[in-house]
């Protein structure tokens, strides 16, 4: 089986599809609470996350700290809830959050504008013009968010394994199509993929730990793991190299399951 991520526009039926899949497959379902938990962990009000995510990259082209922290916190929150390698994530950019992980089925659900307008009018008492304006505003905000964080267009079909149109499928039919795809060998949670999932989670945990530490959070670092070995890569200024390297090793080594830490960092002179 698989981790299934569902991307969609505002009121495009994504939540209904996620609930149907959770019932059909017996998978745990995660949604907006992941973003709220991540925001709480960072001490940031959940309603502020959208605006913070659109901050411009800092010096040397790096993303703002809050962006990196948020992405790492969401990845960890998702992986903390994965049971037996199976999960449904009904949240923005789930496929991009998990893009380095095998066995992820990334689905995009779209729907005709009239379908979405009617959903807002029926469920929220909006008139037609208000519903149209709301859809445009939220869709644009999501496009900006994904472009700011990942440099991708959330509407690009090439980002997904499957794109389904509710103009052609009912929720039930879409649920059946996705359920069938999740059972294919390409998404089977094999022993190797389960091990890779554990490695991916460890790398995410190390990356978050480095971002949370005041001494290392401003450094441009990444972390990957395999069988207990963590490799920290990236760039760091050529100042107190030995001390900084020791601190990075200590932080990475404090993550449960880490047996060895290897640094492959490019040290640069910030004054040249």
């Amino acid at each position: 089986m698989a981790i299934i991520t569902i991307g969609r526009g505002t009121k495009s039926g994504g939540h209904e599809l996620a609930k149907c899949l959770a019932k059909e497959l017996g998978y745990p379902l995660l949604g907006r609470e992941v973003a709220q938990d991540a925001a709480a962990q960072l001490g940031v009000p959940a309603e502020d996350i959208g605006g913070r995510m659109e901050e411009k990259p800092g010096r040397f082209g790096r993303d703002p700290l809050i962006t990196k922290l948020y992405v790492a916190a969401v990845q960890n929150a998702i992986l903390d809830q994965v049971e037996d390698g199976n999960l449904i994530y009904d949240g923005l950019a789930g496929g991009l959050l998990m893009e380095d992980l095998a066995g992820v089925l990334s689905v995009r659900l779209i729907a005709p504008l009239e379908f979405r307008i009617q959903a807002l009018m029926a469920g929220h008492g909006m008139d037609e013009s208000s519903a149209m304006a709301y859809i445009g505003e939220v869709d644009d905000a999501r496009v900006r968010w994904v472009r700011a964080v990942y440099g991708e267009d959330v509407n690009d079909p090439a980002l997904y394994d499957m794109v389904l149109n509710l103009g052609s499928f009912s929720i039930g039919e879409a649920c059946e199509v996705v359920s069938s795809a999740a059972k294919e060998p390409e998404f089977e949670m094999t022993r190797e993929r389960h091990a890779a999932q554990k490695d991916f989670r460890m790398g995410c945990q190390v990356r978050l730990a480095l971002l949370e530490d005041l001494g290392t959070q401003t450094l441009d670092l990444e972390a990957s793991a395999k069988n207990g070995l963590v490799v920290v890569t990236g760039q760091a200024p050529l100042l107190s190299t030995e001390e900084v390297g020791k601190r990075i090793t200590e932080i990475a080594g404090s993550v449960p399951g880490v047996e060895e830490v290897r640094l492959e960092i490019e040290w640069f002179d910030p004054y040249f």
Side-chain angles (χ1 to χ4, degrees):
M1 297 297 187
I3 295 175
I4 302 173
T5 69
I6 301 175
R8 81 285 188 200
T10 308
K11 291 299 177 182
S12 294
H15 188 54
E16 290 74 15
L17 175 59
K19 290 192 294 183
C20 180
L21 288 168
K23 181 178 180 181
E24 175 72 20
L25 296 170
Y27 288 9
L29 170 61
L30 292 181
R32 292 184 60 188
E33 69 274 13
V34 173
Q36 293 167 346
D37 289 347
Q41 182 176 347
L42 302 178
V44 179
E47 60 271 18
D48 289 350
I49 283 292
R52 296 291 187 93
M53 291 303 99
E54 293 174 27
E55 293 178 5
K56 293 181 180 180
R59 293 183 63 193
F60 309 114
R62 292 196 291 270
D63 293 333
L65 174 61
I66 189 65
T67 300
K68 289 186 174 183
L69 273 166
Y70 177 76
V71 170
V74 170
Q75 286 177 322
N76 277 275
I78 293 172
L79 293 168
D80 281 346
Q81 298 298 318
V82 174
E83 298 178 6
D84 300 322
N86 301 321
L87 180 76
I88 296 166
Y89 178 57
D90 175 29
L92 181 60
L96 291 169
L97 280 166
M98 301 287 111
E99 66 177 338
D100 295 325
L101 189 60
V104 175
L105 174 57
S106 182
V107 178
R108 175 76 175 173
L109 193 64
I110 62 176
L113 180 59
E114 184 60 30
F115 175 99
R116 303 167 70 190
I117 291 173
Q118 290 299 321
L120 279 171
M121 292 174 65
H124 299 271
M126 293 185 179
D127 59 37
E128 184 173 357
S129 61
S130 297
M132 288 185 65
Y134 178 82
I135 289 170
E137 179 182 348
V138 177
D139 280 0
D140 286 348
R142 289 175 174 174
V143 168
R144 292 194 304 271
W145 191 95
V146 173
R147 182 168 288 121
V149 176
Y150 299 102
E152 299 283 2
D153 179 359
V154 71
N155 296 313
D156 182 358
L159 296 178
Y160 307 94
D161 299 300
M162 181 182 297
V163 179
L164 297 173
N165 188 343
L166 289 187
S168 304
F169 294 89
S170 67
I171 290 293
E173 290 168 339
C175 183
E176 184 177 347
V177 170
V178 178
S179 295
S180 296
K183 298 172 184 176
E184 291 297 315
E186 289 82 357
F187 302 104
E188 180 182 357
M189 189 50 64
T190 62
R191 180 182 301 176
E192 291 77 14
R193 285 180 177 173
H194 193 265
Q197 186 182 97
K198 291 177 64 177
D199 290 338
F200 182 73
R201 181 183 183 187
M202 184 179 291
C204 290
Q205 290 174 326
V206 171
R207 186 161 54 253
L208 181 59
L210 291 169
L211 286 167
E212 288 180 325
D213 186 84
L214 293 178
T216 58
Q217 63 181 198
T218 59
L219 304 179
D220 189 17
L221 302 175
E222 293 293 335
S224 60
K226 188 173 181 62
N227 299 326
L229 168 65
V230 168
V231 178
V232 179
T233 60
Q235 295 182 321
L238 192 63
L239 300 171
S240 304
T241 302
E242 183 176 347
E243 181 181 340
V244 173
K246 181 179 179 181
R247 183 59 184 156
I248 293 171
T249 301
E250 289 176 348
I251 293 169
S254 69
V255 171
V258 175
E259 299 175 3
E260 181 184 351
V261 178
R262 181 183 302 162
L263 303 186
E264 297 182 359
I265 296 172
E266 179 184 345
W267 303 95
F268 67 92
D269 190 333
Y271 300 108
F272 288 94

